[in-house]
Amino acid sequence: MLKTIGVRSPKERALKACKPRIVVIGAGLAGLAAAKSLLENGFTDVTVLEASDRIGGRVQSVQHGQATLELGATWIHGAHGNPVFHLAEDNGLLEHTTDGERSVGRISLYTKNGVAHYQTNSGKRIPKDLVEEFSDLYNEVYELTQEFFKNGKPVGAESQNSVGIFTRDVVRKKIMLDPDDSESTKRLKLSMLQQYLKVESCESSSPSMDEVSLSEFGEWTEIPGAHHVIPGGFIKVVELLARAVPARVVRLGRPVRRVHWNRSARQGETPDAGDHNEDRRAAPPGHPVRVECEDGELVPADHVIVTASLGVLKKSHESLFSPGLPEDKVLAIEKLGISTTDKIFLEFAEPFWSPECNSIQFVWEDEAQLEQLAYPEELWYRKICSFDVLYPPERYGYMLSGWICGQEALLMERCDDETVAETCTELLRKFTGNPNIPKPRRILRSSWGSNPYIRGSYSFTRVGSSGGDVERLATPLPYAESTKAPPLQVLFAGEATHRKYYSTTHGALLSGQREANRLIELYQDLYNAEATKPNM
Ligand SMILES: Cc1cc2nc3c(=O)[nH]c(=O)nc-3n(C[C@H](O)[C@H](O)[C@H](O)COP(=O)(O)OP(=O)(O)OC[C@H]3O[C@@H](n4cnc5c(N)ncnc54)[C@H](O)[C@@H]3O)c2cc1C
Ligand SMILES: *[C@@H]1O[C@H](CO)[C@@H](O)[C@H](O)[C@H]1NC(C)=O
């Protein structure tokens, strides 16, 4: 009698036969996307180890009354061709997105509802036409920054390979050469330039645009279409992925201390100092990798997908991998950049801004001539570049969302709520020229830099690094010997491993799928090899 068992594809039969154990480190978008793909392709032994007590990683939506505030990712950048957009769109997450939550254009130039108010530190608003004139000039130069990568334009001296240095230089020359502007207008434009560069560094999550590589800047690729906010929270996208991953697969509060890899060669050796009996029981021969959790638990695996951020890798790659990572991978980790961009939400009982105002931009006139924007510690607040008005008020109330990045963001993280709220209120009073602005009702802020499992907001191509370093970061270990297929013991996913879409949610998601596909193909190949053997 034939038993009616589910008809399995050859691939599924192959997987059932060898039952590879896969551990995914991290339950952010990359980790969950990887786990989902694996489970959907017949892998059954998948475990996700997440250090924190929640899923989502750098996607964190916080409920605040009617509103959902995003401490991390906010916008789906681009529409058609963006897998996060399609996931959200297909599942109705964008049905209630309003015009105020949908915007077009380059990130810093969102044409949102209303008008950005550029205010100086003497409390005056810069006229709109002057802002527009400057904005056009700045954008012309931004277009020039794209040519270095796209058209292979040479940068000249390596010391000049910096978006910040190039932009400041070219924009300043154009400002100084304009015969129509008075000295005071020139000074205002020079100060606006500094403010634009602060905004840009918040967007690229670099300490300063001076650290962002000019020759590589254009490799980051924009997906066309508007930017969308998900009214129900970006976490809904994470939850959609998690829905395909059974709860038992994801283990929260399981920080990984060390990944022991390259073990096949060590089988039969005397156990090293870290090994004890329990250990060997947990790691029967045949599992080339052991993942050691903070509490000492050992999880044996055939393959591990590491999705910890570049910040975590920078800080702890030495202790996280045994044996240590190959030199070229360490170099890539050291060369690529990641810094912190934080948000500061302030809620007011009443708006002190006019209804058409969509943001308040802080322009420090005394910074017009500065070469670098590095501040002494006590002046950290000068790095806060702007406050956006969250719109519509029916959803958000009277809520401002401020931006700060770099070392100064870390200093902000160290202050208490009271100090930050007071400092921000002082800034708002000074720049709007309104001394009567009350203190906010509530403050909420992110602290991505000091989060030990994140350590930064997202990656950028730092001066001296390139897309090649991104590839090296993404290459699985151990490296393939020329004749054999790579054994894929340790694979790397996460935002920073995507060459064109680094720094984004879609980059993270695609990187997880990419690494899952490597394994899916590996077992497909193994099956094909088996199938062609005689007498199977
Ligand atoms: C302030 C801010 C604003 C942003 N805005 C946008 C935006 O508007 N649009 C956009 O597309 N993107 C945005 N991003 C970027 C986006 O959030 C990230 O690119 C993406 O979420 C990264 O996903 P990931 O899976 O690569 O990494 P993560 O989300 O960092 O996931 C990695 C997970 O690994 C866990 N982990 C780390 N170390 C260990 C360990 N030792 N053991 C176990 N687990 C560990 C972490 O806890 C984390 O959950 C923003 C990010 C920030 C911080
Ligand atoms: C992995 O093991 C092989 C075989 O013992 C050894 O030659 C190689 O150096 C090891 N790789 C690392 C990175 O330790």
Side-chain angles (χ1 to χ4, degrees):
M1 276 288 305
L2 280 174
K3 278 194 211 147
T4 42
I5 48 164
V7 183
R8 289 176 191 277
S9 67
K11 186 166 66 183
E12 280 174 300
R13 270 184 274 130
L15 283 173
K16 204 171 161 16
C18 48
K19 270 216 174 92
R21 297 186 79 156
I22 298 165
V23 170
V24 178
I25 301 177
L29 283 171
L32 290 172
K36 177 176 188 280
S37 292
L38 291 169
L39 291 164
E40 287 173 352
N41 281 279
F43 289 81
T44 50
D45 197 340
V46 179
T47 304
V48 180
L49 300 175
E50 166 55 50
S52 71
D53 57 4
R54 58 172 188 87
I55 58 171
R58 284 170 270 175
V59 174
Q60 188 177 9
S61 312
V62 176
Q63 211 53 41
H64 175 82
Q66 296 266 64
T68 306
L69 301 177
E70 304 289 1
L71 289 177
T74 306
W75 291 282
I76 301 174
H77 294 305
H80 294 283
N82 181 335
V84 177
F85 172 79
H86 293 297
L87 200 59
E89 172 87 338
D90 294 349
N91 288 281
L93 299 184
L94 301 178
E95 274 165 22
H96 300 289
T97 301
T98 64
D99 284 347
E101 294 163 324
R102 195 182 299 113
S103 44
V104 289
R106 208 158 68 71
I107 310 171
S108 57
L109 307 163
Y110 280 174
T111 46
K112 284 181 241 172
N113 252 52
V115 184
H117 285 208
Y118 282 79
Q119 303 283 147
T120 70
N121 54 317
S122 47
K124 291 199 213 72
R125 176 159 173 212
I126 302 175
K128 200 170 161 235
D129 51 352
L130 186 60
V131 173
E132 277 166 11
E133 196 183 310
F134 174 75
S135 190
D136 288 346
L137 167 59
Y138 184 90
N139 285 319
E140 240 173 71
V141 177
Y142 176 83
E143 290 307 319
L144 298 179
T145 64
Q146 299 295 296
E147 285 179 12
F148 291 89
F149 182 79
K150 297 210 165 111
N151 308 332
K153 193 175 157 188
V155 230
E158 190 57 27
S159 63
Q160 298 297 302
N161 189 10
S162 148
V163 176
I165 293 173
F166 174 82
T167 305
R168 204 180 291 112
D169 202 47
V170 179
V171 175
R172 275 183 178 170
K173 279 194 187 121
K174 288 183 189 261
I175 293 171
M176 298 319 285
L177 286 173
D178 191 329
D180 301 330
D181 284 348
S182 66
E183 281 311 306
S184 65
T185 302
K186 284 189 164 72
R187 190 172 136 90
L188 262 184
K189 286 187 175 173
L190 291 172
S191 339
M192 263 190 278
L193 167 60
Q194 304 285 45
Q195 196 270 348
Y196 268 59
L197 286 169
K198 281 185 217 177
V199 172
E200 195 101 59
S201 63
C202 275
E203 272 164 18
S204 60
S205 187
S206 64
S208 145
M209 290 312 284
D210 292 12
E211 294 200 22
V212 179
S213 169
L214 181 59
S215 58
E216 309 299 311
F217 196 44
E219 187 160 26
W220 188 87
T221 305
E222 192 173 330
I223 298 178
H227 312 280
H228 289 82
V229 168
I230 303 172
F234 216 116
I235 198 70
K236 296 272 190 236
V237 169
V238 173
E239 288 166 359
L240 281 172
L241 295 178
R243 214 186 275 167
V245 182
R248 66 179 159 75
V249 168
V250 183
R251 299 180 60 198
L252 299 176
R254 302 302 302 163
V256 168
R257 182 198 288 158
R258 194 174 288 232
V259 176
H260 303 266
W261 59 289
N262 202 29
R263 284 176 49 78
S264 52
R266 294 168 48 191
Q267 245 119 62
E269 274 180 20
T270 43
D272 60 33
D275 286 348
H276 44 80
N277 291 337
E278 188 190 13
D279 206 26
R280 269 177 294 159
R281 243 187 293 131
H287 287 110
V289 187
R290 272 183 330 180
V291 180
E292 181 187 341
C293 297
E294 279 297 345
D295 65 358
E297 183 191 348
L298 286 152
V299 186
D302 294 293
H303 312 281
V304 177
I305 302 180
V306 178
T307 75
S309 73
L310 178 64
V312 169
L313 293 178
K314 272 182 190 287
K315 172 89 180 173
S316 45
H317 71 83
E318 275 182 26
S319 58
L320 205 51
F321 297 94
S322 172
L325 298 175
E327 205 177 302
D328 64 336
K329 200 181 272 285
V330 171
L331 263 178
I333 289 170
E334 286 170 352
K335 283 199 287 182
L336 291 166
I338 184 162
S339 176
T340 301
T341 292
D342 275 322
K343 301 189 198 181
I344 306 169
F345 294 99
L346 301 177
E347 190 196 31
F348 292 88
E350 298 289 331
F352 57 81
W353 52 90
S354 56
E356 91 325 324
C357 170
N358 71 22
S359 66
I360 298 160
Q361 311 281 333
F362 297 149
V363 179
W364 295 87
E365 287 185 84
D366 55 352
E367 291 181 2
Q369 307 290 350
L370 287 185
E371 283 310 318
Q372 282 170 1
L373 297 171
Y375 304 105
E377 286 200 8
E378 67 278 12
L379 296 183
W380 63 266
Y381 55 83
R382 279 192 173 236
K383 199 69 174 284
I384 300 176
C385 55
S386 63
F387 276 92
D388 293 340
V389 177
L390 295 196
Y391 188 88
E394 300 78 57
R395 177 126 70 222
Y396 297 100
Y398 301 111
M399 188 79 74
L400 298 182
S401 165
W403 295 92
I404 185 167
C405 65
Q407 201 50 42
E408 291 80 4
L410 285 170
L411 292 167
M412 182 280 292
E413 290 182 16
R414 273 195 238 148
C415 297
D416 58 22
D417 277 354
E418 185 65 23
T419 308
V420 176
E422 229 162 67
T423 308
C424 290
T425 312
E426 273 310 312
L427 276 177
L428 288 163
R429 288 177 185 148
K430 186 182 178 77
F431 282 81
T432 58
N434 173 0
N436 301 319
I437 294 174
K439 272 187 54 189
R441 272 216 298 230
R442 213 190 129 190
I443 175 168
L444 180 72
R445 51 204 172 109
S446 61
S447 51
W448 297 110
S450 45
N451 183 327
Y453 300 115
I454 305 286
R455 296 197 183 279
S457 293
Y458 39 92
S459 64
F460 66 96
T461 336
R462 190 161 65 191
V463 175
S465 70
S466 71
D469 291 309
V470 176
E471 298 291 335
R472 277 183 278 281
L473 180 59
T475 307
L477 295 176
Y479 295 145
E481 291 164 36
S482 52
T483 52
K484 278 196 268 166
L488 304 184
Q489 290 176 7
V490 188
L491 303 93
F492 293 83
E495 156 276 305
T497 69
H498 200 290
R499 197 167 172 155
K500 293 194 308 184
Y501 297 150
Y502 59 85
S503 80
T504 65
T505 50
H506 50 280
L509 182 134
L510 288 168
S511 75
Q513 291 175 344
R514 176 193 68 211
E515 296 310 310
N517 278 333
R518 270 193 225 274
L519 293 173
I520 293 164
E521 278 166 25
L522 173 72
Y523 285 90
Q524 186 74 64
D525 290 351
L526 282 185
Y527 171 73
N528 290 341
E530 279 298 302
T532 52
K533 270 194 208 156
N535 308 325
M536 204 183 95

